[in-house]
Amino acid sequence: MIEYERTLTTGFVNFDRGICDLVSIEFGAGTYLYSTSGPGGGLVVWQLNNGDVPTFFDSQVFDSSISLDGDQTIEFANLGSEDLLVLDISSSGSIFGYSLEPTGMIGETQQFQLPSEGGGTTLLASYSSNDTEFIVAATDGGSRITAYRVGPTGTFTEVDAEIGRPAFLDTVETASNTIVVTADSSTHSVVTFQADTETGELTRVDNSNATSHLALNTPSSMEVIQAYGSSWVLVAGSGSNSISVMELGSDGSLLPTDHVLDSSGTKFNSIQDIAVTSVGDQVFVFAGGEDDGISLFALVPSGQLVHLETVEGTAENGLVGVDTLSVAQVGNELQVFAADQQQDGLSQFSVSLDNLGSVIEGDSIQSGTNGDDILLGMGGSTLLAGGGDDVLVAGSGTTVMAGGEGADIFVVQNGSRTTIVSDFEVGVDRLDLSDFGQLRFPSQLDFTPTEDGAQIDFLGQTIVLQSADGGSLSQPDVLGDFFDAAVRLPNGPNENSSETVSSSGITGAVTVSTAKDNPGIRDAEVHFIQDGSAPIVVQADSQGYFDLQLPVGSEQGHIKIIKSYSTGIQEINALDALQVLRMSVGLEPTWGTAQPENYIAADINRDGSVNALDALDILRVSVGLPVESDAEWVFLDSKTDISEVTADATHYDPKISVVALNGDFSVETTSILLGNVEQL
């Protein structure tokens, strides 16, 4: 689907090297691609041609007398009824850019002075009401978003300012409001404001409850698109290797609908940019980062991203990394351009739209066309695709799917009822199980070949596959490269973990005493250790009682308590993995501030820090799979100072000092279940 076309160069090294940003703009019947390069460079314009090589159309060398504080990013804006390419908002508050001619050519330099200081980046968006024009601006060096009224002579009057440090900013016209959308780099979140179209004042919308579970870190790109009767905000996070999707309400409310993570097959690690476009009924999302490739997704009406394809970097296409992306529809194809500041020129790719189909959704029976359709079930449904390369998404009820001819993708939804695929073609069709956030390894699936296909059971959900040729299907036939698709975080605890003998315990303060039962250490091993002597090891009974049989008199030493964990009690679940993933990228847990005990609990593999490997191990534990370091309770002396424990330093001393008098002692401890990250 994604075809490499060529590498575009102008022949002028200062234009071709260090390309910082790309933007595609339509003028009349033509589409033009604008690029900007670093110091000593300038602007370049390419006219895009359907099925042919782009034409080097215009260029502008940056005047050496111009000092640009920003990163030479491009923002298209309309100020004073004039189309403008804004390149910078200087530290003095001066907006600098170039006007654009109706032909797409670069016009004269333009400079506007804001009444307040700026800070060196291109963050500018505009909106209007009746005859009044407003802009909102934000700067890298500042800590606020400011709304200005634009006067008839090009003057700016500040009308409101809000605290924020956005990395990206946009405005959206909804049915009843103008919404300002920002991706905030200080809070690693998406923040929206209602803009009063009469006064220009901004009112922040409280989305804290809706977005608190988003594991977004370091926003690196943001796109807003209107499709399927809604507005959608897509945000890339380079620190979390993720793409988040949120539905934007007309009041500025946000509803997260998807959050996908990079895998070995999607190639957007340290994602730097996303490019989004709609064609007909369908929405296409391209993503690239420091992982030598570009991934293509379809955004379906439910707000879910479906991975369609990934093209990897080669010596021919020049994809070593991707710093900036742009996509434009030109005739019957999408033209996609990628640039890396360490490589010369633009890598051009294309996606044919010759067989573009429709988006069809509903319950009961839904039939597709002969094009490349997207069919979505709603509740219980039967989806009958035609002859194209189709995407079929199961509904929440029992769904029967038939792909017909072509290379089809069957998307199974977590939590739905039985899904039946009636014509799975080996080596052509693909089964997408990425909605199962708990699924990380093929061995987790209960895969059973049948006479005419196969049956897959996972977490109480059944998928029945019938092969197109009527024969049996093996696991490699169906799964292929299991990690080709993007992966997702679990959306809740696993209620289907294997049941084994319970080894429950108590998290928090636990008194350990030889004189009574100790419910917090039932079935645990108690080690009494003295220097120069072999340890005394006993096992507490089902009530937590133990007897070390120490001699009469005073014995000083320390104890170590070893207590195992069983998945049958389900205290460790997928939500714990989500909390750990947030903590591993510098975010707080969803409830607020993490405590030292939380960091200790998060470091399940005991390597001294909280990282993504801990989250992966917790996922494995939550579904009953083995891990190298088993989950267990640790017991710390309650007097131990753990105030210095952080996500980067989780070391602790498990020894608890005791003095036994005539064999008896009592000590206060803090019990922590590794892998169980919860509010204290």
Side-chain angles (χ1 to χ4, degrees):
M1 185 180 289
I2 304 177
E3 299 289 340
Y4 169 69
E5 298 292 344
R6 60 189 61 86
T7 298
L8 291 176
T9 57
T10 65
F12 299 94
V13 65
N14 286 352
F15 286 156
D16 296 332
R17 183 166 300 169
I19 295 175
C20 307
D21 201 10
L22 299 169
V23 63
S24 301
I25 304 174
E26 291 186 13
F27 283 98
T31 302
Y32 301 86
L33 177 71
Y34 296 81
S35 69
T36 180
S37 51
L43 279 170
V44 170
V45 187
W46 297 89
Q47 185 175 22
L48 305 185
N49 304 307
N50 184 24
D52 205 350
V53 181
T55 303
F56 182 21
F57 189 68
D58 196 9
S59 63
Q60 174 66 57
V61 177
F62 292 145
D63 192 312
S64 59
S65 64
I66 299 172
S67 177
L68 299 178
D69 296 341
D71 297 323
Q72 283 74 64
T73 55
I74 307 172
E75 192 78 27
F76 177 69
N78 185 281
L79 290 178
S81 301
E82 184 172 15
D83 291 327
L84 193 70
L85 282 182
V86 179
L87 297 180
D88 191 35
I89 303 174
S90 72
S91 57
S92 63
S94 177
I95 302 174
F96 172 80
Y98 290 89
S99 61
L100 292 178
E101 303 293 340
T103 60
M105 297 188 70
I106 302 170
E108 299 295 324
T109 59
Q110 298 290 332
Q111 198 157 351
F112 301 90
Q113 184 64 45
L114 297 176
S116 55
E117 291 187 355
T121 190
T122 307
L123 285 176
L124 187 72
S126 61
Y127 57 94
S128 60
S129 175
N130 299 324
D131 296 329
T132 305
E133 186 177 357
F134 299 93
I135 67 167
V136 285
T139 57
D140 221 4
S143 58
R144 68 178 191 167
I145 303 161
T146 309
Y148 301 92
R149 180 185 294 108
V150 182
T153 60
T155 58
F156 298 85
T157 303
E158 182 178 324
V159 294
D160 197 10
E162 297 286 338
I163 295 173
R165 194 179 293 275
F168 302 92
L169 181 149
D170 205 347
T171 57
V172 181
E173 298 287 342
T174 69
S176 55
N177 287 294
T178 295
I179 306 299
V180 177
V181 185
T182 74
D184 195 281
S185 58
S186 61
T187 60
H188 305 278
S189 63
V190 179
V191 180
T192 63
F193 302 87
Q194 288 187 12
D196 189 304
T197 53
E198 296 297 327
T199 66
E201 293 182 354
L202 305 177
T203 302
R204 181 166 179 156
V205 180
D206 184 4
N207 285 299
S208 55
N209 289 335
T211 61
S212 61
H213 284 73
L214 272 183
L216 170 66
N217 184 264
T218 315
S220 53
S221 181
M222 184 183 79
E223 295 283 346
V224 181
I225 191 166
Q226 292 180 312
Y228 310 126
S230 296
S231 298
W232 305 90
V233 181
L234 294 91
V235 182
S238 62
S240 47
N241 306 317
S242 64
I243 307 172
S244 302
V245 184
M246 286 149 278
E247 186 174 8
L248 176 66
S250 60
D251 59 353
S253 60
L254 293 169
L255 175 65
T257 58
D258 207 356
H259 182 83
V260 299
L261 306 175
D262 178 48
S263 71
S264 59
T266 53
K267 299 292 181 183
F268 61 82
N269 186 58
S270 297
I271 184 170
Q272 298 300 305
D273 202 7
I274 53 176
V276 183
T277 190
S278 61
V279 183
D281 292 341
Q282 301 192 28
V283 178
F284 298 94
V285 180
F286 295 85
E290 299 178 1
D291 210 8
D292 305 349
I294 297 174
S295 280
L296 169 60
F297 295 85
L299 177 67
V300 301
S302 61
Q304 181 177 349
L305 292 171
V306 177
H307 177 227
L308 300 179
E309 187 183 4
T310 292
V311 58
E312 297 190 24
T314 65
E316 180 187 16
N317 65 34
L319 284 181
V320 175
V322 174
D323 285 323
T324 180
L325 283 169
S326 182
V327 60
Q329 180 187 357
V330 184
N332 62 342
E333 66 180 8
L334 293 179
Q335 294 189 7
V336 185
F337 299 88
D340 173 29
Q341 294 190 40
Q342 306 306 314
Q343 302 292 315
D344 289 353
L346 299 172
S347 297
Q348 181 185 1
F349 300 84
S350 67
V351 176
S352 174
L353 300 173
D354 286 341
N355 203 41
L356 186 71
S358 301
V359 176
I360 302 162
E361 58 180 325
D363 54 12
S364 66
I365 299 176
Q366 301 297 324
S367 298
T369 71
N370 285 324
D372 299 337
D373 298 319
I374 296 175
L375 291 89
L376 292 92
M378 298 177 66
S381 54
T382 298
L383 306 178
L384 305 175
D389 298 337
D390 305 302
V391 175
L392 298 90
V393 183
S396 59
T398 298
T399 305
V400 178
M401 301 191 285
E405 297 180 2
D408 304 309
I409 301 173
F410 301 99
V411 182
V412 181
Q413 298 285 48
N414 186 12
S416 65
R417 296 181 182 176
T418 301
T419 301
I420 301 170
V421 177
S422 65
D423 60 346
F424 186 86
E425 189 172 356
V426 177
V428 178
D429 296 335
R430 174 157 60 87
L431 185 67
D432 186 334
L433 303 178
S434 62
D435 197 47
F436 290 93
Q438 301 93 332
L439 183 59
R440 291 294 182 268
F441 304 95
S443 58
Q444 292 175 252
L445 299 171
D446 184 1
F447 190 100
T448 306
T450 62
E451 288 186 0
D452 63 348
Q455 178 171 316
I456 301 173
D457 292 284
F458 181 62
L459 300 182
Q461 196 164 326
T462 298
I463 305 161
V464 177
L465 301 174
Q466 298 167 346
S467 63
D469 61 8
S472 181
L473 295 171
S474 67
Q475 186 160 309
D477 288 339
V478 175
L479 299 180
D481 188 344
F482 190 75
F483 293 102
D484 269 353
V487 297
R488 289 175 169 82
L489 289 172
N491 57 11
N494 170 24
E495 298 178 355
N496 298 278
S497 301
S498 58
E499 294 186 3
T500 58
V501 176
S502 176
S503 178
S504 59
I506 297 173
T507 299
V510 172
T511 299
V512 178
S513 173
T514 57
K516 63 179 183 178
D517 293 343
N518 301 276
I521 64 167
R522 56 171 61 99
D523 302 317
E525 285 186 0
V526 181
H527 296 229
F528 180 76
I529 305 166
Q530 291 178 300
D531 293 339
S533 301
I536 299 172
V537 181
V538 299
Q539 183 166 352
D541 63 18
S542 60
Q543 302 302 315
Y545 177 78
F546 65 96
D547 184 359
L548 291 170
Q549 298 183 348
L550 297 176
V552 175
S554 178
E555 298 287 337
Q556 185 171 354
H558 64 267
I559 61 170
K560 182 178 180 181
I561 302 170
I562 300 175
K563 180 174 174 55
S564 62
Y565 169 77
S566 168
T567 57
I569 59 176
Q570 300 183 14
E571 292 189 44
I572 298 175
N573 55 53
L575 185 56
D576 295 309
L578 169 64
Q579 308 292 12
V580 172
L581 191 62
R582 289 177 62 89
M583 293 159 67
S584 72
V585 296
L587 301 179
E588 294 290 357
T590 55
W591 68 77
T593 304
Q595 301 300 315
E597 292 87 347
N598 297 134
Y599 293 123
I600 292 173
D603 184 19
I604 192 173
N605 64 14
R606 288 83 140 181
D607 66 356
S609 66
V610 179
N611 51 57
L613 294 177
D614 293 305
L616 181 58
D617 277 356
I618 290 172
L619 280 176
R620 291 178 62 91
V621 170
S622 72
V623 295
L625 291 178
V627 292
E628 185 173 344
S629 298
D630 291 334
E632 64 180 27
W633 274 266
V634 296
F635 295 82
L636 309 180
D637 192 325
S638 60
K639 298 177 183 177
T640 300
D641 183 7
I642 58 173
S643 61
E644 299 299 318
V645 170
T646 65
D648 298 321
T650 60
H651 302 290
Y652 50 87
D653 186 354
K655 296 183 295 184
I656 304 169
S657 298
V658 298
V659 176
L661 184 61
N662 298 328
D664 291 330
F665 64 83
S666 180
V667 63
E668 300 300 320
T669 72
T670 299
S671 172
I672 301 171
L673 174 56
L674 301 184
N676 183 28
V677 184
E678 60 185 21
Q679 187 172 7
L680 301 175

